[in-house]
Amino acid sequence: MTERAECVLCPNPSPMTLDGTNTWLLAEPGSEDVVVVDPGPLDESHLQDVLRRVTDSGRRVALTLLTHGHDDHAESARRFAELTGAPVRGFGRGHDDLRAGETITVGGLEVLAVETPGHTSDSFSFVLPADNTLLTGDTVLGRGTTVVAWPDGSLEAYLTSLERIEALTRAGEVTSLLPGHGPFVADAAATVTFYLQHRAERLEQVREAVSRGAQTAYAVVEQAYADVPRSVWPAAELSVQAQLEYLRTHP
Ligand SMILES: [Zn+2]
């Protein structure tokens, strides 16, 4: 995908996970040390695929990072640590906590941890400065848009995180995205701009639905999310709750 990143796709496709979870393998060219981001759900054959990809090239897993604690990214973290002996780092939930702005160096590879809460309160993204790319987990996806998983997620935090990513694209530090689901994003700046516009449009639709008398999150979904498949309405309902909370605090 980039000089330092390759993807092993987990076979867990669904309306929420798109083609499945992207497990990312990061390494400095020529280094034996690999950083694995999001080993995924507890799927032993996927974990073995990931391990084989690392060891077949004479390398080893030196560190595992988690973008957030949702099962489709992190459920296998403990099992993967058993298999590899490598530490697992994430934010919160009993992990060796990442610090915002921390630079992690493994086998000559530099990874910068950026806090991007919103989808969940524990969401982090990771910059690979040498490749000008950002691993976004579920904060920005390769296709479509993501869910603000209320009440753990928050729209206010999410918008701040998107602006943080936008600033990285403006500065030229990030030009592409490696998402937790869906394909490689070649134009990070355009995608983040689209995400911010999409959030503003949805917020306006939610505001209108409420002013037309929608009383519940479900009623708002029926009006504002008629364009999305019903299979993702439960997730849309969470995003609507997050937007209603935002509208309460930003009248
Ligand atoms: Zn996910």
Side-chain angles (χ1 to χ4, degrees):
M1 288 294 181
T2 70
E3 198 180 354
R4 291 165 180 79
E6 59 186 302
C7 181
V8 181
L9 178 64
C10 182
N12 61 333
S14 76
M16 295 304 299
T17 60
L18 306 180
D19 317 301
T21 299
N22 295 329
T23 295
W24 292 100
L25 275 49
L26 314 177
E28 195 63 18
S31 168
E32 289 176 7
D33 291 333
V34 175
V35 177
V36 172
V37 179
D38 289 350
L42 194 51
D43 174 337
E44 188 71 21
S45 70
H46 174 62
L47 299 182
Q48 295 297 342
D49 279 351
V50 172
L51 268 182
R52 214 172 302 119
R53 185 80 73 91
V54 172
T55 55
D56 280 1
S57 48
R59 302 180 296 171
R60 65 176 192 115
V61 176
L63 174 66
T64 299
L65 294 173
L66 303 176
T67 58
H68 63 297
H70 278 169
D71 277 352
D72 59 321
H73 300 259
E75 187 187 28
S76 66
R78 186 180 297 177
R79 173 64 181 145
F80 199 59
E82 283 172 12
L83 289 169
T84 61
V88 177
R89 302 199 59 197
F91 182 69
R93 306 189 198 218
H95 296 295
D96 175 14
D97 284 3
L98 291 167
R99 289 185 307 279
E102 176 182 358
T103 297
I104 300 157
T105 306
V106 175
L109 177 79
E110 271 196 6
V111 181
L112 172 65
V114 180
E115 59 174 343
T116 50
H119 168 69
T120 59
S121 59
D122 65 351
S123 289
F124 261 69
S125 297
F126 301 103
V127 183
L128 288 184
D131 284 0
N132 297 110
T133 198
L134 179 73
L135 292 104
T136 52
D138 283 0
T139 298
V140 179
L141 303 181
R143 200 165 55 237
T145 57
T146 197
V147 175
V148 179
W150 182 89
D152 179 44
S154 139
L155 182 58
E156 177 151 29
Y158 186 62
L159 294 175
T160 302
S161 294
L162 288 180
E163 285 162 6
R164 188 167 290 138
I165 296 173
E166 189 181 43
L168 289 169
T169 65
R170 286 233 173 93
E173 289 172 45
V174 167
T175 56
S176 64
L177 305 176
L178 306 174
H181 305 281
F184 173 78
V185 175
D187 190 341
T191 299
V192 174
T193 299
F194 160 70
Y195 265 60
L196 282 163
Q197 281 169 356
H198 171 78
R199 289 269 61 102
E201 282 167 20
R202 277 281 187 244
L203 202 55
E204 200 43 51
Q205 289 169 336
V206 170
R207 208 191 301 264
E208 278 170 19
V210 170
S211 72
R212 282 200 300 266
Q215 301 264 348
T216 63
Y218 188 81
V220 172
V221 169
E222 283 182 312
Q223 292 192 33
Y225 285 75
D227 60 313
V228 305
R230 277 178 176 262
S231 58
V232 299
W233 276 20
E237 219 173 321
L238 296 182
S239 283
V240 166
Q241 293 281 17
Q243 291 173 92
L244 293 173
E245 177 189 76
Y246 184 87
L247 290 174
R248 276 195 296 276
T249 51
H250 300 74

